[in-house]
Amino acid sequence: MRYSQLLLPTTKETPAEAEVVSHQLLLRGGFIRKLTSGVYTYLPLGFMAIQKVTEIVREEMNRAGAQEILMPMVQPGDLWQESGRWKKYGPELLRFQDRHSRDYCLGPTHEEVITDIARKELHSYRQLPVNLYQIQTKFRDEIRPRFGLMRGREFIMKDAYSFDADDAASELSYERMREAYYKIFERCGLDFRAVEADSGSIGGSFSHEFMVLAKTGEDTLVTCTACSYAANVEKAAIAPPEACCADIDTLPAMETVDTPGMKKVERVADFLGVSSCDVVKTMLYIADDQVVAALVRGDREVQSVKLKNILGVADVEPLPEEDVWKRVQLPVGYLGPVKMDLTIVADQEVMAMATCITGANVKGTHVKNVVPGRDFTPAHVGDIRQITEEDSCPVCRGTLQLTEGIEVGHIFKLGTGYSEAMEATYQDSEGNEKHFVMGCYGIGVSRVVAAAIEQNHDENGIIFPMPIAPFQVVILNLGLKDDAICEAAEKLYLELQAKGYDVLYDDRDERPGSKFKDADLIGIPLRVTIGKTYAKSGDVEIRHRQTGETVTMAYAETVAYLEKNIDQALV
Ligand code: ATP
Ligand code: MG
């Protein structure tokens, strides 16, 4: 591609709206443009990177025996009623009606549509196993679309669905996908980990997430330094603490204490001469529409996905402080479970405390000597707190490490949840009707591009891994007025292109400085400079974007050198 003819609107300024580096560089590099909140156009370079990822995904899915299809993005509400998710899915599902007042939604995922296909088209065990996938635009009305391609409302996903005769066969399908995912993310040049994960609103019994390690990741993963345990903190189980052995009858009675202006756990603890772990924190959440109270020890944090799972609701969000009085007439900073008229969920650790300090539900007041189980009774008790590096590995008791990650892929064992709800069956070898055992497997194709940039950049711009770079080589012509230079640059460009490489030829009438800057910004792995040196000695300069290594060589050697370096980097 000739740069002079390419829509590649790079900019120097960092856009104010972009908080993370991938978003900044994708905008500055002319890869994407925002249409509206969480919805982007992929300009040529952006779309090329997306297509590189798409091709890798497609090759590995096909190699793993999956078949590509394309399902509609618009889905009838009836199917979602059948699966039970019309009510359960929550506001991320964008619902609308057609002119006949029939319900529809934009597909955030396709379990319903694919199960409908399976029940109509797959009848016999002889047709199984089947794995169908698509690469397609999804819509989720995310509550906080942000970070550009990382969390869009409209984004590109690869979603695959497996149908098997029984659990054992379904496990094989799952394993095949797990292996394919390792290959895909390795081939994309990413540093990633597979972790045990929560199944979320998709449902199912077991799942793994593939996480790209990056500081800006919205997910936190916990890994054991001694064994292979790795999990999303949303899932990471904490062993129950030892039960409290104090004799309830010997414990002192509750006592109210004045704590004026002390809304924070640390201040209350300091004031009362105790430590934060002697205080119980009461946090309010909106669970679907109901306000609930979650209790954790003062030095702990609530893990909202665990809370959501224990409550069995679709959505849990913190109740904003400014809404607390309006919703429940209780004073922020002084909340406590004693005589509280809300559904209370207590962390298992709270119930193991002999006594604790809590808010008194009266401004400026706390209560001492509160005995969990004696002075309040939670509706639910369980593991609802965030795991920490002080906890030990649930598998081997080893030391844990927390790391930030970006979820680029997610695989689920679904079981028969959807096939039972939607009556999707096949006939086994004895003629019995059986429900399909399903699995589903997603990859955030557009998010992969953003994640790759989060992991591979420097102060000058993107450093694309070769396999997903929009172009593999950029040729800078620094002598537009010199016929020999132009001829050499043109010839190299055409030769590489004829060999099937993706080459950007910077033939613009621009200062060398801006050509170098743009080449760095858009992250092309190999840069060939043809300029004064060539005019003098016939040499060209090749620079590797990732290492900064620069080599000068005779023009005649360039093609072979580039070929070798590109081919090596494509696994
Ligand atoms: P998240 O926890 O990040 O919201 P999810 O668990 O809802 O993700 P899945 O339903 O498993 O996501 O979707 C499959 C894949 O689609 C994810 O692994 C992720 O890479 C991608 N994805 C999900 N939501 C978005 C989004 N809003 N923008 C871009 N990619 C997304
Ligand atoms: Mg999500």
Side-chain angles (χ1 to χ4, degrees):
M1 184 73 80
R2 287 168 202 275
Y3 203 144
S4 59
Q5 288 160 22
L6 182 63
L7 178 60
L8 208 180
T10 59
T11 57
K12 288 198 184 66
E13 303 74 35
T14 301
E17 86 243 38
E19 293 168 61
V20 296
V21 75
S22 62
H23 191 191
Q24 291 166 359
L25 293 175
L26 284 167
L27 287 170
R28 281 190 54 208
F31 289 76
I32 58 167
R33 287 295 178 258
K34 178 168 145 182
L35 178 62
T36 181
S37 168
V39 180
Y40 292 86
T41 296
Y42 306 105
L43 292 182
L45 229 60
F47 195 53
M48 285 176 204
I50 295 275
Q51 280 178 307
K52 287 283 175 95
V53 176
T54 304
E55 261 327 294
I56 292 174
V57 170
R58 183 172 278 131
E59 277 175 29
E60 293 304 331
M61 291 303 291
N62 291 347
R63 194 168 294 165
Q67 305 171 50
E68 187 167 6
I69 60 170
L70 185 58
M71 290 180 266
M73 189 190 182
V74 170
Q75 306 186 10
D78 293 349
L79 281 184
W80 286 70
Q81 297 279 11
E82 267 192 77
S83 72
R85 285 208 295 183
W86 188 252
K87 279 211 186 78
K88 267 202 339 218
Y89 205 92
E92 266 187 31
L93 186 64
L94 184 65
R95 300 151 214 253
F96 59 96
Q97 292 195 325
D98 69 0
R99 65 172 77 200
H100 307 294
S101 306
R102 284 191 207 110
D103 286 326
Y104 287 89
C105 62
L106 288 185
T109 172
H110 278 66
E111 284 77 11
E112 282 76 3
V113 179
I114 200 81
T115 307
D116 186 55
I117 298 272
R119 69 182 169 185
K120 288 176 176 150
E121 310 301 334
L122 301 174
H123 307 293
S124 157
Y125 71 98
R126 287 195 196 88
Q127 293 171 284
L128 303 179
V130 170
N131 187 330
L132 300 167
Y133 79 97
Q134 62 174 348
I135 298 169
Q136 186 224 29
T137 299
K138 295 279 184 280
F139 193 92
R140 295 182 180 181
D141 201 355
E142 296 274 355
I143 184 163
R144 274 181 291 279
R146 55 184 182 162
F147 304 160
L149 297 190
M150 205 99 92
R151 184 166 298 283
R153 292 198 296 164
E154 191 175 300
F155 58 96
I156 300 174
M157 198 204 282
K158 184 284 297 178
D159 44 330
Y161 305 87
S162 61
F163 294 87
D164 279 287
D166 54 32
D167 276 335
S170 182
E171 304 244 326
L172 285 181
S173 296
Y174 186 89
E175 277 314 311
R176 202 168 297 133
M177 282 295 105
R178 191 148 78 137
E179 280 163 28
Y181 272 45
Y182 272 101
K183 289 207 190 105
I184 288 168
F185 297 122
E186 266 160 26
R187 282 189 61 190
C188 287
L190 299 170
D191 184 11
F192 68 96
R193 299 276 181 285
V195 302
E196 287 178 24
D198 179 67
S199 297
S201 62
I202 305 248
S205 51
F206 195 69
S207 78
H208 282 92
E209 281 166 348
F210 288 77
M211 297 279 192
V212 165
L213 305 182
K215 280 197 279 305
T216 43
E218 291 184 279
D219 282 283
T220 308
L221 42 138
V222 52
T223 49
C224 178
T225 53
C227 73
S228 63
Y229 178 74
N232 191 315
V233 289
E234 296 173 348
K235 168 88 178 174
I238 300 169
E242 293 198 3
C244 165
C245 56
D247 177 0
I248 269 199
D249 298 332
T250 65
L251 294 173
M254 285 193 290
E255 185 187 327
T256 306
V257 284
D258 285 339
T259 49
M262 284 163 215
K263 295 184 172 185
K264 294 262 174 278
V265 168
E266 297 75 29
R267 294 217 42 210
V268 176
D270 270 357
F271 183 68
L272 297 176
V274 296
S275 84
S276 297
C277 62
D278 299 314
V279 179
V280 162
K281 219 164 32 179
T282 305
M283 313 291 291
L284 299 186
Y285 285 83
I286 309 181
D288 288 349
D289 280 330
Q290 204 203 352
V291 180
V292 301
L295 310 182
V296 287
R297 229 170 63 177
D299 57 335
R300 307 295 198 193
E301 299 302 328
V302 176
Q303 171 35 253
S304 59
V305 172
K306 290 183 178 176
L307 178 64
K308 184 181 89 169
N309 290 342
I310 231 176
L311 285 163
V313 294
D315 195 37
V316 158
E317 286 289 327
L319 177 63
E321 285 197 358
E322 59 275 20
D323 296 345
V324 169
W325 186 260
K326 205 167 56 203
R327 287 288 295 256
V328 292
Q329 292 81 52
L330 290 170
V332 173
Y334 305 99
L335 303 174
V338 180
K339 297 210 184 96
M340 181 179 250
D341 199 14
L342 295 172
T343 299
I344 295 173
V345 187
D347 185 60
Q348 52 191 4
E349 205 173 38
V350 168
M351 301 314 283
M353 293 164 83
T355 67
C356 59
I357 295 160
T358 72
N361 297 323
V362 177
K363 200 170 169 197
T365 319
H366 278 77
V367 195
K368 283 193 343 190
N369 304 332
V370 175
V371 178
R374 180 190 74 181
D375 300 323
F376 67 90
T377 312
H380 307 270
V381 176
D383 170 17
I384 60 161
R385 77 167 167 90
Q386 178 98 346
I387 201 162
T388 69
E389 289 186 343
E390 283 75 56
D391 289 301
S392 51
C393 170
V395 176
C396 76
R397 305 266 125 220
T399 307
L400 294 176
Q401 213 166 37
L402 297 189
T403 326
E404 279 74 39
I406 302 166
E407 179 196 324
V408 286
H410 200 167
I411 56 177
F412 300 81
K413 281 183 195 164
L414 287 176
T416 52
Y418 289 92
S419 52
E420 281 179 30
M422 295 180 63
E423 267 314 312
T425 59
Y426 69 95
Q427 253 183 19
D428 72 6
S429 55
E430 270 120 49
N432 304 313
E433 288 297 319
K434 290 259 178 71
H435 290 109
F436 295 107
V437 183
M438 292 172 55
C440 79
Y441 317 92
I443 290 181
V445 171
S446 43
R447 190 184 275 181
V448 165
V449 174
I453 297 172
E454 289 296 329
Q455 207 171 56
N456 300 284
H457 64 268
D458 63 12
E459 63 284 2
N460 297 320
I462 301 170
I463 307 173
F464 269 116
M466 183 70 81
I468 63 170
F471 293 104
Q472 296 155 338
V473 189
V474 54
I475 301 169
L476 305 190
N477 176 341
L478 300 189
L480 279 183
K481 295 199 178 76
D482 182 318
D483 286 348
I485 292 178
C486 288
E487 211 174 287
E490 185 86 18
K491 187 164 161 270
L492 179 63
Y493 166 57
L494 293 176
E495 200 172 333
L496 287 169
Q497 216 177 30
K499 284 177 179 284
Y501 293 107
D502 300 316
V503 196
L504 176 62
Y505 173 30
D506 193 346
D507 59 344
R508 293 174 304 162
D509 187 9
E510 287 281 347
R511 285 179 302 107
S514 47
K515 291 195 176 190
F516 287 129
K517 276 212 168 66
D518 280 337
D520 274 355
L521 175 62
I522 61 176
I524 308 307
L526 291 163
R527 187 187 78 193
V528 184
T529 307
I530 308 184
K532 280 200 196 101
T533 323
Y534 178 75
K536 267 195 233 133
S537 62
D539 281 351
V540 301
E541 185 198 273
I542 298 181
R543 182 167 171 272
H544 293 253
R545 177 72 181 91
Q546 191 179 17
T547 57
E549 183 199 349
T550 306
V551 283
T552 304
M553 65 180 65
Y555 176 79
E557 292 165 20
T558 340
V559 173
Y561 182 87
L562 292 171
E563 267 187 296
K564 184 170 138 246
N565 277 277
I566 298 170
D567 294 349
Q568 259 172 8
L570 298 176
V571 267

